[in-house]
Amino acid sequence: MGLFDKLKKDRQSNKQEITRQEIRADGWDAITEAFEKVYPTQKDPKHYGTLISWRLGGDSPLQGISIYEGEDYWHFVTYGLSELYEKESENKEISGYGMEFTFKLKKDHYEDEEAELKGICNILQTIAKLTFVNGEIFRPYEYIYTGQTQGIDIKMLSNITGFITIPDTDVAPISTPNGYVEFVEFIGATNNELIALKNQELTVKELYEKMGTDVTNYHRDSLIK
């Protein structure tokens, strides 16, 4: 995880934030404002910024990931799939790819909490790379199944091996000066659940209803035996 470094949102001491001051960051600020409506007391959430930008040859397409604290979960949101600064694309209705990713991880007694948080950041960067490299757009009520049977946690012991997607349950789509942005929330799914989706034994919506929560719990049992 050498690609990430925890960044303090101090606009006077952080070069990345100083750069944002010099360039209009309407898209970035719109995302932050949407999340601050849900978490009004969290003006300085955990934030993992990319050291070397994608445009400069870095391996991480997202410019940053913020993590807000819910009561019993962490709420991740990405910055970089939409247009964060000036408008560049010709489509005035949609900002960039028209989406940002979110994810909720259940708080637990992790041996290395920081490593688990960075692990999720790494996964979100990897998924975002599919968009940047292949142009893949992720929408709600889809699933991501790669055939992986190892858990997505850092020890690879969890039953959670892939994801389904839904509209974020807390943050609605937003209209920014650069266009529309939808928050696509990822929820962890087990191998058996993903195989059932692949075999069309049930839909993503039906699986989500069975889950009864949008918070990913590494230790939950599979709903499909």
Side-chain angles (χ1 to χ4, degrees), residues 160-205:
I160 305 302
T161 61
F163 304 94
I164 63 171
T165 61
I166 65 168
D168 190 283
T169 59
D170 294 308
V171 186
I174 57 175
S175 294
T176 79
N178 294 329
Y180 172 91
V181 180
E182 180 177 32
F183 295 99
V184 180
E185 182 177 350
F186 288 73
I187 306 175
T190 69
N191 187 59
N192 285 350
E193 292 163 357
L194 293 164
I195 290 174
L197 291 172
K198 182 181 178 183
N199 293 337
Q200 299 184 347
E201 296 172 21
L202 77 171
T203 66
V204 171
K205 285 187 178 181

Side-chain angles (χ1 to χ4, degrees), residues 110-112 115-116 150-158 218:
Y110 298 113
E111 183 176 323
D112 190 339
E116 292 292 355
Q150 294 177 319
I152 65 170
D153 59 307
I154 60 172
K155 290 189 175 181
M156 298 182 290
L157 299 176
S158 172
Y218 283 156

